[in-house]
Every structure is written in structure tokens, then in C-alpha cells.
Amino acid sequence: MGNIKETTLEIDLSALAHNFNFLKSRLQKKTRFLAVVKAFAYGSDTVAVAQKLEQLGADYLAVAYTQEGILLREAEITLPILVLHPQPINFGKIIEHGLEPNMYSPRILKLFIQEAKSQKQSDYPVHIKFNTGLNRLGFWESDINHIIGQLKDQKAIKVKCILSHLAASEDANEREFSLGQIQTFQKIATELSEKLGYMPLRHMLNTSGILNYPEAQFEMVRSGIGLYGFGNNPEIDKELQPVASLKTVISQLHKIEPNETVGYNRAFVSGGYRMTATLPIGHADGIGRQYGNGKASVLVHGKKAPIIGNVCMDMVMIDVTDIDCKEGDEVLIFGKELSAETFADSANTISYELLTAISQRVKRSII
Ligand SMILES: *Cc1c(COP(=O)(O)O)cnc(C)c1O
């Protein structure tokens, strides 16, 4: 204990390897593995994580936006990279960096074909996304003939993959709906491939999909949160290891008299004598105001200390009255002994939001 000197997000690449191998063990041998590394690899470290995944044998990477893909190419990652949510203004850069865009609407498809033609591309790989019930991004089943119309008489692009996304893959109560989505996707893929004259790779499952719908792996699956140690299910969480641990130190201790207050707007009122610790981490680091006022707790020497009062931009105060600690001691915000899922749940959010909110000013340390 105690080599942490400032707020640090530790990234454990052996935990990443463990999670990758666990998820792989749930796949058929021939199923390809697309690792989702959007949002700084779920708030960790894009390049370190992507390099490790490449080494572990991931077949594909995916990011949300073009700029995230460019970062990977600049780090000399050579795996195919799917850009899930590209905007037309970046289509030139997508081709320049050899990224594979997701085509999610007639407008996007038309504009990307134009760009690929103007750059004299042939068979440039794209993914076509169908909406099967999430109602977020994607073509409708009724767009198939439109897509075929756009694709014929051109050689600039070629459909490498077709995909869809489940709306509630973690929710057993929505099993029927999910199975309906899978069935619709299968039907769409068959119709599209018949009309194309070849079969693109199909991918639909996210982490919870891999765990709950093994029959729908098709040729590839897309996993994000599972790689980082969370499976949206307490049983699965036991099998996985958290990749990120957020640690900080006690900057200062304060003895608080009865009827004093702590922090902005005097939100914490002391009932009696209290000992508080001020930590160098706040909402600008990703610990939002929802965690304050007693909602979330951190660990000091293995003991729970609640965050009291309002979370400040660069600080939080915790109650350490019953904990023997001193200035400079290490504090665990979340990690192996206190899971990010538990911390997030204390403020009614989820590990995805907590992890991806950890801001870029927090030091990353790869272990
Ligand atoms: C983020 C994302 C994923 C990864 O989902 P997890 O639940 O983190 O495994 C997969 N597919 C799409 C389309 C996504 O946006």
C-alpha cells in the first residue's frame, strides 16, 4: 500500500488479458472477436489497451468517432478498425487512415460512395447497420432495395460486414424481444446477401449478448464492457477482473467541531466531532456531483469512508472519523476491493458512465 502520490488510474493489462480469454472461451472457435475501444477504451488508455488486444489476438477494433480511429492509426495499430458513428465531414479522413465506416442511413451511404469515388477507391470496406428495435442508428429492413440500388453500378465501396445492435441484451425479461431482433437480423442478412450475390460478415452481440445469446454469434461479436471487467451481471462479474483502479491520496485532514459545516453551500452539517479528509479529485476528474452528500463511499485502509457535502471541481471531502489515517495515505475510489459497478450504483448510474467519465487530466499508469 502507498506508492500512489497523486490521483492515478491504474490500468491492469493482465486483467484485460484474463477478460479477453474469458470472453473468448464463450465463443465458438471460428467466431471473430471485435474489441470495442471507444471513449479512450472505456476511460482507460486507448493505445495501451489496443496494443494489448492486438497482441492477444483480437480480430477487429471499433471506436465511435473518426478521431478515435485516427489516434489508433497514429499509434501504428494495424487491425481493421470500425468507426461506429461517423459523420460525413470526416469521410475523407476515414479513407486516408484506412478506417471502416458504419453506414447507418441513406444519406450516409450516398455521401460515402461520393467520397470513395472522388478518391478513386475500389471495394473500400464498409459495414451496413440495420435497426432491429433499438431505434437509434441504422437502416430499416424496408431500405434493402434502396441500398442495393445505391451499390450497383459502382465499384468504389464493398459491403464487408452487416450489423445490428440489441436493445436489452442484459435483461432476461426482454428475452423475447431480443430473440425477435436476432431473427429479424438473420432475415435481413439473408435477403441482403442474396441481392448482393455474396455473404458479408455478420455481427450483432455486445458483451451481454455474448453471455446470453450464444446462438447469435454469427461471424463476429463486439465486446466492450466485458473486456474492462464488467458483465452487467453479478455472477459474471465474479469471473471478470476490473482493468481500471482509481486511486488518490489524502491531501489534508480536518477536525470538525459540532455544528460546523463542510464544503460549498454548507451542505454537510456535522452532528458532533468529525474528522474529514480532503482528496485531490472532483467532478472535473469524473466524480460527478451525484456521488456527493453521502451517496458513494471510498476505501481508506480497507474501510468505507462516505463522500460528504457537495463534490467540488477538484476536490471531495470524506468522513474518516472512525478510520486511523494520515495525510499522504492512499485512498481507493474504485478498483478490485470496491467495484466501479458498486460505486456507480450508489448514485444510480452504471459502470459504463463512471469509467468513461474519468477525465484526461487523471494520470494513467499501466501495470
Ligand atoms: C459500445 C457498443 C458495443 C459494446 O457494448 P458493450 O456492452 O460495452 O459490450 C457494441 N456495439 C455497439 C454498436 C456499441 O455502440
Side-chain angles (χ1 to χ4, degrees), residues 36 38 42 84 129 136 165 206-207 222-225 352:
V36 181
K38 63 192 178 190
Y42 286 48
L84 290 161
K129 182 168 203 178
R136 189 174 70 172
H165 196 37
N206 67 338
T207 301
R222 306 185 299 270
S223 178
I225 198 76
Y352 293 80

Side-chain angles (χ1 to χ4, degrees), residues 74-258:
E74 285 171 350
E76 294 175 8
I77 299 287
T78 57
L79 284 175
I81 300 170
L82 163 61
V83 180
L84 290 161
H85 197 174
Q87 300 300 323
I89 186 154
N90 297 315
F91 284 171
K93 287 187 188 162
I94 285 199
I95 294 174
E96 186 187 327
H97 294 276
L99 306 171
E100 300 181 7
N102 180 19
M103 303 282 98
Y104 51 85
S105 71
R107 173 183 73 107
I108 293 300
L109 181 60
K110 176 166 159 255
L111 292 173
F112 192 74
I113 291 174
Q114 267 173 22
E115 180 68 31
K117 277 184 179 164
S118 80
Q119 293 208 32
K120 309 229 173 340
Q121 297 295 311
S122 57
D123 289 347
Y124 195 90
V126 304
H127 299 234
I128 299 212
K129 182 168 203 178
F130 283 90
N131 171 31
T132 54
L134 180 58
N135 293 326
R136 189 174 70 172
L137 281 187
F139 286 97
W140 294 82
E141 187 175 357
S142 55
D143 290 325
I144 291 179
N145 286 337
H146 171 88
I147 295 168
I148 296 294
Q150 290 274 302
L151 292 174
K152 74 168 197 285
D153 305 329
Q154 63 84 41
K155 289 246 169 311
I157 73 165
K158 182 164 184 187
V159 183
K160 184 166 168 194
C161 297
I162 119 165
L163 69 146
S164 187
H165 196 37
L166 294 170
S169 59
E170 72 277 29
D171 188 348
N173 295 321
E174 295 292 357
R175 190 166 175 84
E176 214 172 313
F177 186 84
S178 299
L179 291 172
Q181 281 194 273
I182 291 165
Q183 206 169 35
T184 304
F185 179 60
Q186 197 152 19
K187 180 162 160 265
I188 290 170
T190 303
E191 185 180 340
L192 188 79
S193 61
E194 274 166 9
K195 291 183 173 167
L196 284 171
Y198 59 89
M199 182 59 127
L201 304 178
R202 297 164 295 175
H203 51 96
M204 182 171 207
L205 301 181
N206 67 338
T207 301
S208 296
I210 293 169
L211 300 167
N212 298 329
Y213 301 94
E215 69 280 16
Q217 291 171 11
F218 299 103
E219 285 74 44
M220 185 154 74
V221 296
R222 306 185 299 270
S223 178
I225 198 76
L227 287 171
Y228 306 101
F230 301 93
N232 300 319
N233 171 335
E235 287 307 306
I236 296 294
D237 285 354
K238 281 188 218 151
E239 306 276 352
L240 298 169
Q241 297 175 6
V243 167
S245 297
L246 184 58
K247 298 177 177 178
T248 187
V249 293
I250 295 175
S251 294
Q252 192 178 16
L253 291 171
H254 284 279
K255 254 189 204 145
I256 307 293
E257 305 281 324

Side-chain angles (χ1 to χ4, degrees), residues 4 6-7 246-250 279-281 329-331 333:
I4 294 291
E6 62 182 325
T7 300
L246 184 58
K247 298 177 177 178
T248 187
V249 293
I250 295 175
L279 311 179
I281 186 167
D329 282 359
E330 189 173 307
V331 176
I333 309 289

